[in-house]
Amino acid sequence: MSDFDLVVQGNIVDARGVVQDGWLGVRDGKVAARGEGAAPAAREKVDARGQWIVPGVVDGQVHSGSQAGQEGLGWASRAAAAGGVTVMVDMPYDDPQPVASRPQLDAKIAEVERDCHVDVALFGTLNAEHGLQAAAGLIEGGVCAFKFSTFEATPGRFPRVDEDDLFEAFKRIAPSGLVCGVHNQMQDLTRKNIRRLQEAGDTGWDAFMRAHTPLIENLATGIIYELGAETGARAHAVHVSTSRGFELCDMYRRNGTAATIETCIQYLMLNHEEHTRRFGAKTKHYPPIRPKAEVDLLWTHIARDACTFVSSDHVSWGLERKGNPDVFKNSSGGPGLETLLPAFWTGCERHGIAPSMVVRQLSRNPARHFLLDDRKGTLDVGMDADIVILKPERYAFDPSTSLSAVHWSSFEGMEFTVRVAGTWCRGQQVFDGSRVLNKAGDGHFLRPHASRGVPPSYDD
């Protein structure tokens, strides 16, 4: 008689280290036991000895609905499975209306439960149409965080929120224990710089970075943390591309505030001189891809475990939104669900950083950040059996085979050192290295657990 539904054997990577030749026993979708050496009996056994076994990735910044009819949660969840992402945390800025009320949230939850192949947690936001009072309904409805912006990326869909309104929003959200994430960009300075460059006809591949100076980002990051200090809310900068941003976060943390910080994989693996010169507007993100010297500094903060987590900031724009010779007229962002895990693993290897940091930054920490750590983020006994097998292999990434809604990537041709060979979500295999195996609707909507009254800890 089998002891388990599934046993997976290989080199198990935890936030604490690596267990060589370990095994996981899965029963009823949970990790029921784990050990080393000879594996016990099971109805199904996966021999991954010589390969890495890691917890499923929790991608804390996904924009699946930014363009109506382009991708959506269901399609994005297929790319997630192929990238070893078992939890997508989806942003609220859907086209044509952001998720700023309880009925909108309920409709999006229904989409998750109908269409998704992996599990999904959801951000909410607040806007003028539904008012700050909508926060209570969104919290009750199950959002795991709130997102705001200091810059109007798209009128209506992605609005700027004035600082006094942010202050009031933070005050309302603080008692819930949910995090307030903010797009960190000073609007007036941004628009002044763009206008000056466009008037001069200076709109080529390198102009976007020069228009979006570190000062524009760093001033906004400081505002976010000060709002958290004033209100007691958990203040989070959602995509930091400068070393100074980490210094600001450190300063507020030392003064006892619940400041957290996130960077995205493109700011760690791409640089302005090489990749933006090669790919042009395909690498247009906000913030911009920085020079290599700044990228190297970001890795020092990863190495000292100062980053809360790393995300993809995935959005599947079609190339028709990336081909304008005026760089400022192209959309910001790009696909990233399938490259987050192999790219970050590769980057850590290059910088001599242990595999355990991959688990901290991509699984354990984001699960804690979004209050999902009662069931996600680790392979400890009792947790959901979200399992990814990584096969050591050197290969150049080819986006033409992507399961995303688009087949381009600014990581095209980059050599990775691991390949996702299999993904399991709650003990069910969803990807076998080439195909999605489960059905639309097998993914679950995830609600955060109740706040314990104190900010989550990211230390053991």
Side-chain angles (χ1 to χ4, degrees):
M1 181 176 178
S2 299
D3 298 317
F4 302 103
D5 303 323
L6 170 70
V7 164
V8 181
Q9 189 168 17
N11 298 324
I12 302 172
V13 185
D14 288 319
R16 302 172 294 275
V18 179
V19 178
Q20 300 285 342
D21 195 19
W23 57 264
L24 300 171
V26 176
R27 186 185 301 119
D28 298 328
K30 300 283 187 179
V31 178
R34 52 183 293 172
E36 301 176 50
R43 287 204 296 270
E44 180 185 359
K45 295 186 76 170
V46 176
D47 185 351
R49 283 175 291 185
Q51 302 180 64
W52 305 101
I53 300 173
V54 300
V57 170
V58 179
D59 189 344
Q61 190 173 174
V62 177
H63 298 262
S64 72
S66 292
Q67 184 179 356
Q70 172 70 5
E71 184 170 54
L73 282 162
W75 202 336
S77 73
R78 293 171 55 82
V85 175
T86 54
V87 178
M88 300 191 306
V89 187
D90 203 68
M91 286 290 173
Y93 296 120
D94 296 345
D95 184 12
Q97 293 292 326
V99 178
S101 71
R102 178 63 182 273
Q104 291 169 314
L105 174 63
D106 289 344
K108 194 165 184 178
I109 292 170
E111 182 186 351
V112 170
E113 295 176 341
R114 182 191 68 224
D115 295 343
C116 286
H117 295 265
V118 301
D119 293 346
V120 179
L122 297 175
F123 273 84
T125 191
L126 301 174
N127 63 10
E129 180 180 352
H130 298 284
L132 297 179
Q133 65 272 15
L138 290 166
I139 293 167
E140 182 183 14
V143 298
C144 68
F146 283 84
K147 172 74 178 292
F148 305 101
S149 181
T150 56
F151 180 83
E152 183 177 83
T154 304
R157 184 181 70 83
F158 203 138
R160 165 177 162 76
V161 181
D162 291 336
E163 285 75 14
D164 56 343
D165 291 329
L166 278 176
F167 178 77
E168 294 299 327
F170 275 40
K171 283 201 304 183
R172 285 177 180 261
I173 295 164
S176 72
L178 299 181
V179 73
C180 298
V182 186
H183 175 113
N184 45 336
Q185 180 177 2
M186 299 300 289
Q187 180 160 297
D188 290 344
L189 290 178
T190 298
R191 290 181 172 173
K192 181 186 293 184
N193 285 351
I194 291 173
R195 183 168 59 250
R196 174 177 52 82
L197 290 170
Q198 285 183 321
E199 289 173 352
D202 186 358
T203 60
W205 68 270
D206 62 336
F208 186 75
M209 186 196 72
R210 290 185 285 109
H212 294 77
T213 62
L215 182 65
I216 285 173
E217 179 182 336
N218 295 336
L219 285 174
T221 299
I223 288 171
I224 294 163
Y225 293 143
E226 190 61 24
L227 286 166
E230 286 280 345
T231 62
R234 294 172 56 207
H236 179 73
V238 301
H239 36 42
V240 172
S241 69
T242 68
S243 180
R244 178 59 179 162
F246 282 86
E247 293 170 2
L248 289 167
C249 186
D250 287 345
M251 180 178 71
Y252 278 89
R253 284 172 172 169
R254 286 195 300 270
N255 281 277
T257 66
T260 52
I261 191 166
E262 171 187 353
T263 193
C264 304
I265 188 63
Q266 54 268 25
Y267 305 123
L268 295 169
M269 297 300 288
L270 306 179
N271 66 71
H272 179 73
E273 301 93 327
E274 177 184 353
H275 301 98
T276 303
R277 180 184 291 276
R278 177 184 174 191
F279 292 115
K282 287 182 180 178
T283 67
K284 182 184 175 183
H285 291 264
Y286 189 81
I289 303 302
R290 299 293 183 188
K292 187 177 184 303
E294 193 72 38
V295 174
D296 291 341
L297 288 174
L298 289 184
W299 276 105
T300 69
H301 299 294
I302 296 293
R304 67 184 182 88
D305 203 13
C307 189
T308 307
F309 65 92
V310 177
S311 67
S312 73
D313 200 5
H314 168 90
V315 59
S316 283
W317 299 126
L319 282 177
E320 71 278 1
R321 301 184 69 151
K322 288 288 191 176
N324 197 299
D326 181 341
V327 69
F328 300 110
K329 294 182 179 179
N330 295 287
S331 296
S332 293
L337 281 162
E338 288 164 285
T339 48
L340 172 59
L341 174 55
F344 188 61
W345 184 284
T346 300
C348 284
E349 278 194 351
R350 289 178 184 170
H351 290 85
I353 299 172
S356 57
M357 186 62 74
V358 178
V359 171
R360 294 174 73 90
Q361 290 295 315
L362 300 190
S363 302
R364 194 202 67 176
N365 285 9
R368 291 183 177 181
H369 184 79
F370 295 109
L371 306 183
L372 305 173
D373 56 310
D374 56 337
R375 54 206 186 279
K376 301 293 185 181
T378 75
L379 294 173
D380 294 341
V381 171
M383 302 295 280
D384 282 356
D386 290 1
I387 300 168
V388 178
I389 295 176
L390 293 176
K391 178 183 178 182
E393 179 182 345
R394 292 188 176 274
Y395 64 99
F397 179 67
D398 178 6
S400 70
T401 62
S402 172
L403 296 186
S404 179
V406 294
H407 293 144
W408 67 270
S409 170
S410 51
F411 290 87
E412 180 181 354
M414 183 175 292
E415 184 180 77
F416 294 153
T417 58
V418 289
R419 187 187 294 275
V420 175
T423 304
W424 285 256
C425 185
R426 288 173 282 101
Q428 179 186 23
Q429 188 167 13
V430 298
F431 181 70
D432 67 358
S434 60
R435 297 172 298 128
V436 173
L437 302 179
N438 67 342
K439 302 186 305 295
D442 283 345
H444 289 180
F445 169 65
L446 302 177
R447 296 173 179 270
H449 63 67
S451 170
R452 303 182 181 94
V454 295
S457 171
Y458 302 97
D459 298 318
D460 290 322

